[in-house]
Amino acid sequence: MAKTKIPNPDELGKIDYTPPKKHWMDIPVEIKPDMYCHGAKAKSLKVVDFPNARDWTPAEADWKLPEDWKKIVLEGISERLKKYRTFHVFMDICVRCGACADKCHFFLGSGDPKNMPVLRAELLRSVYRKYFTTGGKIFGKTAGARELTLDVLKEWWYYFYQCTECRRCSLFCPYGIDQAEITIIGRELMNLLGLNIEWIAGPTANCYMKGNHLGLEPHTIKSTIDFFVNDIEDITGVKVEPTFNRKGAEILFITPSGDLFADPGIYTAMGYLMLFHELGLDYTWSTYASEGGNFGFFTSNEMAKRLHSKIYAEAKRLGVKWILGGECGHMWRVWHQYHNTWFGPMDFLEEPVSPITGTKFANAKSTKVVHLVEFTADLIKHGKLKLDPSRNDNLVVTFHDSCNTSRGMGFFEEPRYVIKNVCNHFHEMPDDTIRERTFCCGSGSGLNASENMELRMRGGFPRANAVKFVHEKHGVNMLANICAIDRAALPPLMDYWVPGVRVTGTHELVANALVMKGEKERTVNLRNEPLPEKGGDSDV
Amino acid sequence: MGLGLSLTAVIALILLVFAGVKGANLHLLFGAVIPYAAFIIFTIGVIYRVVKWGRSPVPFRIPTTGGQENSFPWIKQNKFDNPSTTSGVIVRMLLEVFAFRSLFRLTKSELKDGKLVHGSDKWLWLAGLAFHWCFLIILIRHLRFFTQNVPFVIQLFEALDAFFQVGVPLLYLTDIFLVGAVTYLFLRRVVFPQVKYISLAADYFPLLLILSIAVTGILMRYFIRVDIVGVKQLTMGLVTFSPVASESIGVIFYIHVFLVSVLFAYFPFSKLMHMGGVLLSPTRNLANNNRMVRHINPWDYPVHVHTYEEYENDFREKMKKAGIPVEKE
């Protein structure tokens, strides 16, 4: 897909952090190949009735903007200042202390000063000052204010799609200024002009009409999962029997559709199926609510709400008691921080209780959505799973905390508890690169396309660098995570920066270790690779 | 660009007082009228700004979580970096406001032989904290000028501040730390290339202004003596709305007071409003309890959705063929 070949790692790793001599306002944006995604297609935007839908090309000078684009943007800003205290406060209080500067993976991987979160925010703030503050109107550039021009608009587009909304900067900011929030609003403004990227607009349209980002139709979802069922039977001798759109099930299970699509996500999906079967869980999949993730969230808050309303509509229609959610990063940010506000109160559901252990999920009593990893952690804690971690003995595992579950939730111990119970060899990456300080995969917030591969490799550099550290120190060869975008984005990142490290979802590890009732002696893992020899402690 | 302008502005302000007091004898203007005006602008301005922010609602509860969430009883929650209760939030905010918790996390990332190395970097935290605390203590100490009988609390601050009992008059530690911290904060803007690159006039100006205020204050206390009785007469006059601006006080005092007035008047229009903003920051001042307690969006509105019925209409035949249950046969 990529038109030009991106430089090799040695070359890409030479990063110069020295800012240019010229003032940033005097350096016009250069839309560099391999650093941006294709523009949104008219047909994708039309599906969801977005304004100014048209085919356009970012590299071309003419973006075919509507005549009154400037007015649309300024009115858009004005409206959002009145709707979001975050936006309003964040436009005003930054002191430019620079604490956030070297916290951004895109800055660390590119050295481009406009990727320092403070400056990425100033791109928008400068226009805010010019049109919405007295000082900016009077003093202009001296006050850090500038006119909204076509160049400025293009600069916004380029850099708001060079932010993965990971919130790492927000953690270190003394005022909690959240670049993700500024990017979210910046992208909303872009969407008023039809300036989305196709990698987001396409999945959004798919999700709206067909229920999931990949555009899998109901029969395809079923046949895909049937395919997993056969594989599981081949490997374990156990036939799992999932159901679809089944009324009266106790639990509705929803996961990102990415888990149904490609290696290694599919092994995670097989892991879900095996675990639920082993527990005898009364659950159902839905082909209508077949997406846990939400690319609408990378478009506008309204679009995010439009996509996820089907989750509760489906729960109501099927009459389930509560909802269980699979492994995904941004999905859980949205489920955790937005769902209750959008769709609550969920009084047609019941407070979730694990049917196996009787544990009440008190921290989910209002939304009635439980994270599968916390569900599994509870099972292990109560000794409800028979596990043979030695089946994962060929793996030396480290764990990548997803940005969204880390800084939008605080989900750290649950996945570690699960992994340490199903793997014998686990090593943490350096402290400054994990948990709340975790580095992004470089491809979040809808940027995991193929045409922007250089951007992704640069953005993922700090993460890869930390993996490389434990790869060299402890021989780590498997990068575990709880996110579908990670499972799609990290394999190429590892191949590029740290060859020899593979990527896995947490429930793939669980399923490999899970000793199922009536299973035959397993000789291969879910990837059809031979299991490590017993007691051999093969390559560790 | 911003640096030269800010420096010029501060020098011009100082010369203005000099001319006004020495040349035109405008003691009352600089000693009373301007301070009153500055105080009024400050008060009204700050309230206006905070109310304006407050009028923008908080549609979503989106705290940035800095530690383990509230989970099972057997998993230890980080109650202050990831609070799930109001009391936890209060502690988080107190830590943020009084100890600069977020800044304390600060790291520095450097590229060494193709490897990124992350290390702790507490200098900004230390200088920022020293500066703000010293400024506060000095402000409190100054209240002695506005009270007839100096209250015990203020005397206590003074005594602690002059703990080492050095010099005549006694040397205040905060004076030294404040100048040191502000100088560091200023120098990092001039020396560190990235910070320099993002700095605006609005960043240099308040630092230079505060530095000038500190220097004039120190000069007055330790080197260029002013008529302290006249000063107290004026400050008490300000409190009782009957200011008498004595000509014997000395111009350095008027410069000090004018620069403070400028700082106060400038405050509501500037980034110094971060003082109020931090309290209103939705990524810090909300509990991470979204799955337990619903947060209401005051401007929430119904949106267009693709219903199950529409979905089934699109795919009914395919669903039936695949054996997936449907509502309408």
Side-chain angles (χ1 to χ4, degrees):
Chain A
M1 286 288 281
K3 281 172 216 112
T4 50
K5 205 173 152 13
I6 68 168
N8 65 42
D10 282 342
E11 225 164 289
L12 207 69
K14 287 179 195 139
I15 302 153
D16 185 6
Y17 298 119
T18 330
K21 291 240 155 29
K22 253 182 159 177
H23 191 265
W24 64 266
M25 280 190 200
D26 300 326
I27 302 174
V29 65
E30 188 193 339
I31 312 262
K32 292 183 187 156
D34 300 315
M35 294 290 281
Y36 67 92
C37 297
H38 300 316
K41 294 192 177 99
K43 66 173 170 63
S44 302
L45 295 182
K46 277 179 186 154
V47 170
V48 288
D49 300 312
F50 266 38
N52 297 304
R54 68 196 179 279
D55 288 337
W56 63 288
T57 312
E60 280 173 14
D62 181 11
W63 282 14
K64 305 177 192 168
L65 292 165
E67 198 77 350
D68 57 342
W69 67 267
K70 216 162 155 177
K71 187 166 163 267
I72 296 173
V73 171
L74 293 174
E75 283 176 3
I77 295 176
S78 170
E79 182 194 336
R80 281 157 186 80
L81 288 169
K82 293 187 191 96
K83 282 167 95 173
Y84 294 92
R85 187 177 299 166
T86 44
F87 185 46
H88 200 164
V89 171
F90 297 165
M91 283 296 106
D92 282 327
I93 62 170
C94 176
V95 301
R96 289 163 298 278
C97 70
C100 59
D102 60 353
K103 305 304 172 287
C104 175
H105 51 284
F106 282 121
F107 176 67
L108 289 173
S110 72
D112 183 341
K114 287 176 187 169
N115 272 328
M116 293 191 277
V118 49
L119 207 44
R120 199 187 284 105
E122 289 284 309
L123 301 178
L124 179 52
R125 221 177 257 136
S126 53
V127 169
Y128 162 76
R129 289 196 194 101
K130 182 76 195 171
Y131 297 90
F132 298 93
T133 71
T134 319
K137 278 176 197 159
I138 299 171
F139 297 109
K141 195 176 169 184
T142 310
R146 62 172 176 171
E147 296 271 346
L148 176 59
T149 64
L150 185 60
D151 265 347
V152 169
L153 185 77
K154 290 187 173 184
E155 192 181 45
W156 283 3
W157 182 83
Y158 190 62
Y159 288 103
F160 290 147
Y161 291 98
Q162 284 193 20
C163 165
T164 46
E165 307 178 2
C166 82
R167 310 179 98 201
R168 193 167 190 269
C169 50
S170 155
L171 182 76
F172 295 90
C173 176
Y175 320 118
I177 296 173
D178 183 6
Q179 176 62 46
E181 193 72 357
I182 297 172
T183 296
I184 288 169
I185 284 167
R187 288 188 183 183
E188 283 204 9
L189 298 172
M190 294 294 121
N191 269 282
L192 298 175
L193 302 174
L195 297 176
N196 203 328
I197 61 172
E198 181 56 19
W199 194 257
I200 293 173
T204 300
N206 276 339
C207 194
Y208 191 67
M209 295 305 288
K210 298 182 178 176
N212 55 79
H213 293 148
L214 296 173
L216 303 174
E217 298 186 356
H219 55 294
T220 317
I221 293 176
K222 181 157 187 296
S223 62
T224 304
I225 291 179
D226 283 345
F227 182 76
F228 299 159
V229 169
N230 290 336
D231 274 4
I232 291 168
E233 192 173 7
D234 288 346
I235 295 166
T236 67
V238 177
K239 189 165 172 60
V240 305
E241 285 164 338
T243 57
F244 299 86
N245 302 10
R246 178 166 62 89
K247 285 190 177 177
E250 182 182 357
I251 297 163
L252 171 61
F253 176 67
I254 298 177
T255 197
S257 62
D259 284 344
L260 304 181
F261 181 59
D263 174 346
I266 54 171
Y267 307 121
T268 307
M270 285 161 73
Y272 304 152
L273 289 163
M274 289 162 67
L275 175 70
F276 299 157
H277 175 86
E278 180 60 18
L279 298 171
L281 207 62
D282 179 17
Y283 84 106
T284 181
W285 296 73
S286 164
T287 60
Y288 169 58
S290 48
E291 181 60 67
N294 193 329
F295 271 40
F297 187 59
F298 309 139
T299 302
S300 69
N301 279 323
E302 180 181 304
M303 194 63 233
K305 184 180 174 187
R306 288 174 68 188
L307 290 187
H308 268 187
S309 70
K310 62 167 124 41
I311 290 174
Y312 295 93
E314 186 69 339
K316 202 170 189 174
R317 185 181 76 88
L318 298 177
V320 300
K321 287 185 182 164
W322 53 278
I323 302 169
L324 187 59
E327 296 180 19
C328 183
H330 79 277
M331 155 178 162
W332 273 98
R333 161 108 130 107
V334 176
W335 283 39
H336 180 69
Q337 295 199 324
Y338 292 83
H339 271 193
N340 211 355
T341 300
W342 284 331
F343 310 118
M346 291 83 171
D347 39 20
F348 51 91
L349 296 171
E350 289 176 20
E351 247 186 82
V353 178
S354 170
I356 317 298
T357 64
T359 299
K360 274 190 181 177
F361 295 95
N363 64 345
K365 65 179 177 192
S366 177
T367 50
K368 286 97 172 174
V369 292
V370 174
H371 195 299
L372 178 56
V373 173
E374 60 191 349
F375 179 76
T376 304
D378 173 65
L379 292 171
I380 297 175
K381 183 75 183 172
H382 285 85
K384 298 290 181 187
L385 299 181
K386 197 174 170 200
L387 298 166
D388 177 3
S390 74
R391 287 180 188 169
N392 286 319
D393 270 355
N394 55 331
L395 307 179
V396 187
V397 181
T398 193
F399 179 66
H400 161 68
D401 291 278
S402 302
C403 311
N404 282 292
T405 50
S406 298
R407 290 179 285 264
M409 199 171 175
F411 201 70
F412 304 121
E413 292 305 329
E414 298 90 335
R416 282 174 174 78
Y417 181 78
V418 171
I419 291 171
K420 286 175 185 171
N421 272 285
V422 297
C423 298
N424 287 322
H425 310 293
F426 177 81
H427 300 277
E428 291 280 14
M429 286 181 272
D431 280 349
D432 284 322
T433 70
I434 55 169
R435 296 177 188 261
E436 71 276 4
R437 276 165 289 174
T438 187
F439 276 111
C440 180
C441 61
S443 307
S445 79
L447 302 184
N448 54 324
S450 52
E451 64 270 19
N452 61 337
M453 201 48 93
E454 181 177 334
L455 176 73
R456 290 177 51 192
M457 295 302 109
R458 287 187 181 282
F461 171 63
R463 167 42 73 224
N465 187 78
V467 177
K468 194 171 183 177
F469 180 79
V470 283
H471 174 63
E472 288 169 357
K473 192 174 174 193
H474 303 291
V476 162
N477 58 16
M478 192 55 98
L479 180 56
N481 58 69
I482 48 167
C483 170
I485 288 181
D486 282 330
R487 291 190 279 278
L490 290 172
L493 187 76
M494 290 299 110
D495 289 346
Y496 184 81
W497 291 110
V498 205
V501 176
R502 297 190 298 167
V503 177
T504 179
T506 296
H507 275 81
E508 180 187 341
L509 299 173
V510 171
N512 274 328
L514 184 69
V515 180
M516 299 173 79
K517 288 184 277 289
E519 72 175 18
K520 65 179 187 190
E521 191 179 341
R522 287 200 219 174
T523 53
V524 291
N525 62 21
L526 295 186
R527 300 185 185 198
N528 256 315
E529 299 160 349
L531 286 176
E533 276 176 45
K534 284 273 170 203
D537 227 4
S538 54
D539 53 353
V540 181
Chain B
M1 178 190 75
L3 176 58
L5 195 75
S6 303
L7 196 61
T8 315
V10 173
I11 293 170
L13 289 171
I14 294 171
L15 291 176
L16 183 74
V17 198
F18 209 79
V21 174
K22 278 281 184 191
N25 267 323
L26 299 168
H27 292 91
L28 202 60
L29 177 70
F30 285 99
V33 177
I34 290 175
Y36 274 137
F39 190 74
I40 291 166
I41 293 171
F42 173 82
T43 312
I44 294 175
V46 168
I47 293 170
Y48 172 79
R49 289 293 295 276
V50 171
V51 168
K52 203 172 163 198
W53 284 333
R55 279 225 288 266
S56 297
V58 181
F60 304 110
R61 192 197 278 136
I62 53 159
T64 305
T65 54
Q68 173 61 43
E69 67 164 2
N70 167 29
S71 178
F72 301 112
W74 50 274
I75 289 179
K76 191 169 179 285
Q77 182 192 357
N78 186 334
K79 288 190 173 155
F80 305 141
D81 288 325
N82 190 349
S84 54
T85 59
T86 308
S87 52
V89 170
I90 290 170
V91 176
R92 184 181 202 188
M93 289 310 293
L94 290 174
L95 285 170
E96 205 63 87
V97 171
F98 292 108
F100 299 0
R101 171 72 184 101
S102 293
L103 219 45
F104 186 71
R105 291 193 183 94
L106 217 58
T107 55
K108 189 178 178 169
S109 299
E110 284 170 308
L111 202 58
K112 284 179 186 161
D113 306 323
K115 283 178 181 160
L116 264 184
V117 186
H118 315 282
S120 173
D121 178 25
K122 302 270 186 267
W123 287 107
L124 179 60
W125 171 79
L126 192 67
L129 202 67
F131 162 63
H132 284 84
W133 272 107
C134 289
F135 199 103
L136 179 67
I137 293 169
I138 291 172
L139 204 67
I140 293 170
R141 275 207 278 102
H142 274 68
L143 293 178
R144 75 148 34 243
F145 292 104
F146 302 96
T147 44
Q148 203 57 265
N149 303 309
V150 181
F152 175 71
V153 186
I154 296 172
Q155 289 182 17
L156 187 71
F157 268 102
E158 289 173 344
L160 287 173
D161 203 351
F163 185 72
F164 289 108
Q165 302 276 319
V166 190
V168 182
L170 289 176
L171 180 69
Y172 285 134
L173 294 173
T174 47
D175 288 355
I176 301 170
F177 289 146
L178 181 94
V179 171
V182 174
T183 306
Y184 174 80
L185 294 175
F186 174 75
L187 284 178
R188 68 187 289 279
R189 286 203 185 273
V190 184
V191 176
F192 299 166
Q194 285 147 19
V195 190
K196 188 178 178 189
Y197 199 64
I198 54 174
S199 292
L200 297 171
D203 300 314
Y204 297 115
F205 178 67
L207 284 172
L208 291 172
L209 191 63
I210 290 166
L211 197 60
S212 310
I213 290 168
V215 169
T216 49
I218 289 168
L219 283 176
M220 229 185 319
R221 180 170 165 85
Y222 303 103
F223 303 103
I224 311 171
R225 305 308 300 268
V226 290
D227 171 15
I228 196 75
V229 178
V231 169
K232 180 97 186 197
Q233 202 183 3
L234 172 61
T235 52
M236 285 312 298
L238 285 171
V239 181
T240 53
F241 300 103
S242 50
V244 186
S246 157
E247 290 177 21
S248 63
I249 296 178
V251 71
I252 185 85
F253 169 79
Y254 288 99
I255 295 174
H256 186 70
V257 168
F258 181 64
L259 295 179
V260 171
S261 303
V262 171
L263 182 69
F264 269 63
Y266 174 72
F267 196 99
F269 304 99
S270 71
K271 69 165 192 176
L272 302 178
M273 280 303 294
H274 66 261
M275 185 179 84
V278 62
L279 297 170
L280 289 178
S281 188
T283 60
R284 290 293 184 273
N285 67 11
L286 293 168
N288 179 37
N289 59 357
N290 295 279
R291 284 194 288 158
M292 285 183 282
V293 183
R294 186 170 177 231
H295 178 85
I296 307 286
N297 173 1
W299 50 259
D300 193 39
Y301 53 90
V303 294
H304 288 287
V305 298
H306 191 68
T307 62
Y308 175 79
E309 198 182 0
E310 291 169 297
Y311 172 86
E312 192 182 296
N313 288 341
D314 290 345
F315 297 111
R316 185 169 296 109
E317 288 316 308
K318 288 172 174 170
M319 289 169 81
K320 279 160 72 177
K321 226 177 183 174
I324 300 168
V326 290
E327 294 278 343
K328 286 183 199 161
E329 282 300 323

